Amino acid sequence: MSRYNRSQLADLSGVPARTIRYYHSLGVLPRPARAGKEVVYGDEHLTRLREIAEMQTRGLRLGAIREVFDAQSQQGAPADWRAVLDPRYPGASEQSVVLDDEQLTGLLGDRRAEILDELVAAQYIVPCEAGWRIPDQPMLKGALVLYDLGTDISLSGALRKLIRARLADLADEIVATFRDALPTGYGGEGIGVDHHRFRERFRAAAREVAGATLADEIDRAVRESEA
């Protein structure tokens, strides 16, 4: 197991020694061990500093970063960033839903007063006669996760529009590819009948494949942007 003093950790991580002490005070970096009068750091501290730097490049504030690590320690597993943009995110089984006022408060919790107007402006939530319509529940849940991690609703709204536009184009291409490749259908029937019959299977396959694929591509793009 590697052992570093604070100066060595600073050199290896690129994080100044004074910033390392500041991270200790905020609780985002574990305290070092001691060997006599000297503080001793290990590889886990170097890994944590690199994780903090990565999150900061994604626009997260230190308070939100601390919450991520706190949740990770409670769950006993690494925080999964990909869940934010994965359509299989827990509770996202219904795409569109209408909520009454009490249900909306239950969904938004203490955030309601500070972000409801922004969510309406970004069209995550639409007032209607029956209460509040959520046009795209998975995207709303993703926006709330991003908000809790320090990302503005306006930014997640821009991401939502981008994702929707690109996925719509991709869906058109996929359906066209099936239509061109299978002109007589799966069982000798017309392709229109087959598309209707197998639509739910297509949707299930998309949920299993597309979310993970998009997450992997985001990871790739981030790595390439930092190269």
Side-chain angles (χ1 to χ4, degrees):
M1 178 178 176
S2 301
R3 291 159 59 98
Y4 317 107
N5 60 35
R6 186 170 292 149
S7 295
Q8 290 171 327
L9 182 65
D11 290 340
L12 288 169
S13 65
V15 178
R18 64 179 180 276
T19 304
I20 291 174
R21 289 193 293 270
Y22 179 56
Y23 286 168
H24 288 318
S25 69
L26 291 180
V28 296
L29 184 68
R31 294 284 181 179
R34 284 195 170 270
K37 295 183 178 180
E38 298 293 325
V39 295
V40 179
Y41 295 89
D43 289 332
E44 69 276 13
H45 294 93
L46 182 59
T47 298
R48 174 62 64 88
L49 288 173
R50 289 170 176 167
E51 290 173 343
I52 293 171
E54 179 185 1
M55 293 183 191
Q56 287 178 318
T57 63
R58 301 185 187 195
L60 299 187
R61 299 186 294 267
L62 287 172
I65 291 173
R66 183 180 62 243
E67 291 177 8
V68 171
F69 290 134
D70 287 346
Q72 175 179 321
S73 64
Q74 293 170 8
Q75 296 169 3
D80 188 358
W81 291 88
R82 298 181 303 174
V84 174
L85 294 176
D86 191 332
R88 295 170 295 169
Y89 189 74
S93 58
E94 294 296 331
Q95 192 77 15
S96 177
V97 66
V98 174
L99 305 179
D100 61 28
D101 205 61
E102 183 177 351
Q103 289 172 321
L104 182 67
T105 298
L107 175 63
L108 299 184
D110 294 339
R111 320 179 192 92
R112 173 168 176 159
E114 58 189 51
I115 64 170
L116 179 57
D117 289 345
E118 294 180 67
L119 290 171
V120 171
Q123 297 184 322
Y124 282 111
I125 297 175
V126 179
C128 64
E129 186 176 347
W132 306 90
R133 184 170 64 87
I134 314 297
D136 195 335
Q137 191 171 197
M139 285 292 187
L140 173 60
K141 289 181 179 292
L144 295 178
V145 172
L146 288 171
Y147 177 81
D148 289 341
L149 296 177
T151 302
D152 292 339
I153 295 297
S154 58
L155 176 56
S156 65
L159 292 174
R160 171 181 173 239
K161 291 180 180 178
L162 176 63
I163 292 170
R164 272 289 172 190
R166 297 294 176 84
L167 289 182
D169 290 341
L170 178 60
D172 289 340
E173 292 181 28
I174 290 173
V175 172
T177 299
F178 271 97
R179 183 184 296 115
D180 294 342
L182 303 167
T184 60
Y186 293 94
E189 298 178 292
I191 189 67
V193 174
D194 281 333
H195 273 180
H196 178 74
R197 176 179 298 173
F198 289 96
R199 183 178 63 179
E200 289 307 314
R201 295 183 186 179
F202 290 154
R203 286 166 58 88
R207 288 193 179 97
E208 290 299 317
V209 176
T213 301
L214 175 60
D216 288 342
E217 289 300 318
I218 289 173
D219 287 342
R220 174 197 56 75
V222 170
R223 289 195 304 270
E224 292 181 357
S225 71
E226 296 173 345

